[in-house]
Amino acid sequence: MIDLYYWTTPNGHKITMFLEETGLPYRIVPVNIGAGAQFEPAFLTLSPNNRIPAIIDHAPADGDAPIPVFESGAILLYLAQKSRQLLPADLRGQVEVLQWLFWQMAGLGPMAGQNHHFARYAAEKIPYAIDRYVKETNRLYGVLNHRLSDRAWIAGQYSIADIACYPWIVPYEAQGQRLEQFPHLKRWFESIRERPATVRAYAKAATVNTDNLMTEEAKRVLFGQTAR
């Protein structure tokens, strides 16, 4: 059994998509990040960066004590290795998947995240910041579109690379993007959206976070933290 500490963000959706795709048994433990649950001491023992998602694997392959894992990319890699699914067995196939997984973790996710912040949530609308991140998001969409121009999936077969990227494309309109500008990306996006596992994962999200509102208090909690 996997305990999934989760909230309805793109990084959270990655893990429910994987678990629904592979059929690994899991239990969702909601972590309401708008209410500050990610700063509770018990959660920080699992995720010292006070971010979701995190997991506890109660049946690790070595048969020893439960294993906690934080960071969505690390979780995807851990679960893919555990289940032997959605990650090629051969060296070259693994390299293809992992370089695109890291591309998402280092590029698409952070840049789209800053896009979301300055365009949607920032108290002060700063034109330079909005323009900067909308354009960088557009550039990254172009990179992915080019990658998909001659293949169905990012790294050959459907993999954790696709699962990592998809939730960050879901809010494309809020990111100031038009999928019609990226036909190969659009085809890929629609293919993943229609997968039964994706449908199930997003249906579960709707039961965990029923209002999905960003209140002023939630903004203070999410965006006002320092080391102290």
Side-chain angles (χ1 to χ4, degrees), residues 96 99-100 142-151 153-156:
E96 285 293 293
Q99 63 189 356
W100 285 96
V143 171
L144 191 52
N145 185 67
H146 179 73
R147 174 67 178 180
L148 293 163
S149 63
D150 62 351
R151 66 198 74 213
W153 309 111
I154 292 174

Side-chain angles (χ1 to χ4, degrees), residues 4-22:
L4 169 59
Y5 292 79
Y6 164 87
W7 200 242
T8 55
T9 71
N11 288 332
H13 297 318
K14 293 177 190 177
I15 312 306
T16 51
M17 285 176 64
F18 180 96
L19 292 167
E20 289 294 330
E21 196 76 45
T22 58

Side-chain angles (χ1 to χ4, degrees), residues 32-74:
N32 187 339
I33 60 175
Q38 70 273 33
F39 300 109
E40 294 178 0
F43 181 70
L44 288 173
T45 64
L46 305 176
S47 181
N49 195 36
N50 55 261
R51 296 288 188 271
I52 64 94
I55 66 167
I56 299 176
D57 180 7
H58 291 280
D62 63 4
D64 209 331
I67 294 179
V69 188
F70 74 101
E71 284 294 322
S72 61

Side-chain angles (χ1 to χ4, degrees), residues 112 115-116 119-121 134 141 169-177:
N115 181 323
H116 296 170
R120 300 172 63 185
Y121 303 130
V134 168
Y141 275 43
I169 306 295
V170 170
Y172 62 90
E173 291 179 327
Q175 296 168 4
Q177 308 303 319

Side-chain angles (χ1 to χ4, degrees), residues 68-146:
V69 188
F70 74 101
E71 284 294 322
S72 61
I75 295 169
L76 287 175
L77 180 57
Y78 174 84
L79 293 175
Q81 292 173 332
K82 173 184 174 69
S83 65
R84 299 183 181 179
Q85 298 184 63
L86 299 172
L87 180 68
D90 66 289
L91 174 63
R92 294 175 188 274
Q94 286 187 9
V95 169
E96 285 293 293
V97 169
L98 293 181
Q99 63 189 356
W100 285 96
L101 174 65
F102 278 72
W103 176 83
Q104 184 280 309
M105 296 294 296
L108 179 62
M111 295 301 103
Q114 293 300 317
N115 181 323
H116 296 170
H117 178 78
F118 286 106
R120 300 172 63 185
Y121 303 130
E124 179 186 357
K125 294 297 183 277
I126 305 171
Y128 175 83
I130 295 171
D131 184 63
R132 162 79 176 96
Y133 289 110
V134 168
K135 285 181 177 177
E136 179 61 9
T137 303
N138 186 269
R139 185 190 73 81
L140 292 165
Y141 275 43
V143 171
L144 191 52
N145 185 67
H146 179 73

